[in-house]
């Protein structure tokens, strides 16, 4: 009698275990399907977005400058996006001391892993002396990989062609003056959160201007989704001069990414 009872209990327990496992598998599949669907809809709907942020910058000698940035991004078609940007900057010694602008063409993420971008940016520096304009033209290929569920690795390699013309503050790009050409790079590890991410990065190019090869930066960034159309954009950046123990600039940035369409 006891043997039969134990047998029935074991069979019942086994059936319950199988049902719980099936339910968990169905829930996991449903969650993954829903998440993938939301991501596809998000990528499809994001036709126009705007990044706006402010930076506070201090150099190694304690001199401060500030800038305000607006970077709209437009989907041209299923394969290409256009990103523009303008930066207006002030120094404590002179209010209207510099401005920058850029135009950038980006491919979609091919196989959700690789994309190519090309960019032209122009820097007009009115203060300190000598005043100058500097044009940067670059191209880069970037990749992203997800080795773990909550970890994303990002990398980029490219090349820069730059021209600087002293004592000239015209807004148009130039190929005159002193030239410098060199490779650029970026590597980052991104820890994914339910509504954002934390990112540690190291490199020589970012949203606007590339950095000199002996003055790259380390950065800690954070983004958090406040709503379906609004995400925070914050980072602290440390730029060093040849040696990581020789500071060159410190950057503190606060901003928002706003999805318009």
């Amino acid at each position: 009698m006891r043997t039969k009872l134990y047998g029935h209990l074991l069979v019942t327990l086994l059936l319950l275990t199988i049902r719980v496992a099936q339910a968990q598998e169905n829930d996991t599949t449903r969650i993954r399907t829903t998440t993938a669907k939301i991501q596809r809809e998000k990528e499809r709907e994001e036709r126009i977005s705007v990044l706006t942020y402010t930076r506070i910058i201090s150099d190694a000698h304690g001199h401060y400058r500030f800038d305000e940035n607006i970077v709209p991004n437009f989907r041209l078609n299923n394969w290409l996006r256009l990103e523009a940007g303008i930066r207006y900057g002030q120094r404590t010694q002179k209010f209207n001391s510099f401005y920058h602008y850029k135009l950038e063409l980006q491919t979609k993420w091919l196989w959700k892993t690789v994309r190519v971008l090309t960019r032209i940016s122009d820097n007009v520096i009115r203060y300190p002396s000598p005043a100058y304009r500097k044009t940067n033209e670059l191209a880069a290929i970037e990749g992203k990989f997800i080795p773990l569920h909550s970890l994303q690795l990002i990398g980029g390699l490219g090349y820069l062609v730059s021209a600087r013309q002293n004592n000239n503050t015209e807004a148009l790009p130039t190929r005159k003056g002193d030239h410098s050409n060199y490779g650029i790079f970026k590597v980052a590890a991104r820890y994914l959160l339910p509504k954002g991410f934390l990112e540690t990065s190291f490199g020589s190019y970012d949203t606007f201007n590339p950095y000199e090869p002996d003055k790259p930066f380390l950065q800690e960034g954070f983004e958090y989704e406040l709503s379906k159309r609004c995400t925070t954009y914050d980072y602290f950046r440390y730029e060093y001069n040849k040696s990581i123990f020789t500071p060159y600039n410190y950057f503190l940035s606060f901003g928002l990414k706003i999805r318009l369409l």
Side-chain angles (χ1 to χ4, degrees):
M1 189 71 176
R2 286 185 178 180
T3 303
K4 288 184 179 180
L5 181 60
Y6 289 150
H8 284 302
L9 287 174
L10 286 173
V11 170
T12 302
L13 184 60
L14 181 61
L15 290 175
L16 284 173
T17 302
I18 293 173
R19 292 203 171 199
V20 169
Q22 288 177 340
Q24 288 179 339
E25 185 178 353
N26 291 337
D27 288 342
T28 302
T29 303
R30 186 170 63 254
I31 291 171
R32 287 177 179 174
T33 303
T34 303
T35 303
K37 183 179 178 181
I38 292 172
Q39 184 65 27
R40 286 196 301 270
E41 290 176 352
K42 181 179 178 181
E43 292 175 353
R44 184 172 61 249
E45 291 174 357
E46 191 173 319
R47 298 179 181 179
I48 303 175
S49 64
V50 176
L51 168 63
T52 176
Y53 62 99
T54 298
R55 302 190 308 168
I56 304 170
I57 306 133
S58 172
D59 65 21
H61 304 289
H63 300 143
Y64 283 86
R65 63 187 188 272
F66 314 87
D67 57 47
E68 300 78 45
N69 306 264
I70 298 177
V71 186
N73 188 291
F74 308 89
R75 190 183 73 177
L76 301 179
N77 54 42
N78 291 334
W79 293 92
L80 294 174
R81 301 189 70 91
L82 174 67
E83 185 168 278
I86 187 165
R87 167 179 292 163
Y88 182 71
Q90 308 84 36
R91 291 180 180 267
T92 53
Q93 303 90 339
K94 184 178 176 62
F95 182 76
N96 184 18
S97 58
F98 62 90
Y99 68 89
H100 307 158
Y101 66 86
K102 76 157 189 176
L103 286 174
E104 178 174 308
L105 196 62
Q106 308 165 347
T107 69
K108 66 177 291 186
W109 285 98
L110 305 172
W111 308 287
K112 298 183 180 181
T113 304
V114 179
R115 75 169 181 175
V116 177
L117 64 87
T118 60
R119 178 194 305 167
I120 181 169
S121 62
D122 207 55
N123 310 346
V124 178
I125 308 299
R126 293 172 173 157
Y127 182 87
S129 298
Y132 65 88
R133 63 172 172 169
K134 184 178 182 181
T135 299
N136 301 304
E137 299 173 81
L138 65 83
I141 182 168
E142 298 181 338
K144 61 180 180 179
F145 313 94
I146 305 179
L148 300 174
H149 177 70
S150 57
L151 178 65
Q152 187 177 74
L153 302 179
I154 302 168
L157 283 174
Y159 196 75
L160 167 74
V161 177
S162 179
R164 169 173 167 163
Q165 189 176 16
N166 288 335
N167 302 312
N168 190 317
T169 56
E170 293 181 8
L172 293 176
T174 183
R175 296 204 174 193
K176 299 178 181 179
D178 299 328
H179 291 78
S180 57
N181 308 329
Y182 49 85
I184 55 175
F185 74 96
K186 177 172 64 176
V187 292
R190 182 177 291 180
Y191 179 72
L192 304 177
L193 303 171
K195 288 190 174 184
F197 60 82
L198 296 169
E199 182 179 275
T200 300
S201 57
F202 171 55
S204 61
Y205 77 98
D206 192 39
T207 305
F208 260 96
N209 300 314
Y211 291 68
E212 296 177 21
D214 59 348
K215 297 183 179 71
F217 64 85
L218 291 164
Q219 177 174 302
E220 289 292 331
F222 172 68
E223 293 190 16
Y224 184 79
E225 187 178 283
L226 299 175
S227 68
K228 291 182 179 180
R229 292 188 177 273
C230 187
T231 303
T232 64
Y233 176 81
D234 309 300
Y235 66 77
F236 172 77
R237 179 179 297 170
Y238 170 72
E239 181 187 7
Y240 62 86
N241 187 359
K242 296 180 181 179
S243 167
I244 194 171
F245 301 107
T246 307
Y248 191 68
N249 283 306
Y250 302 92
F251 303 77
L252 187 60
S253 173
F254 305 96
L256 293 173
K257 286 182 179 179
I258 302 170
R259 193 159 48 250
L260 299 180
L261 293 176

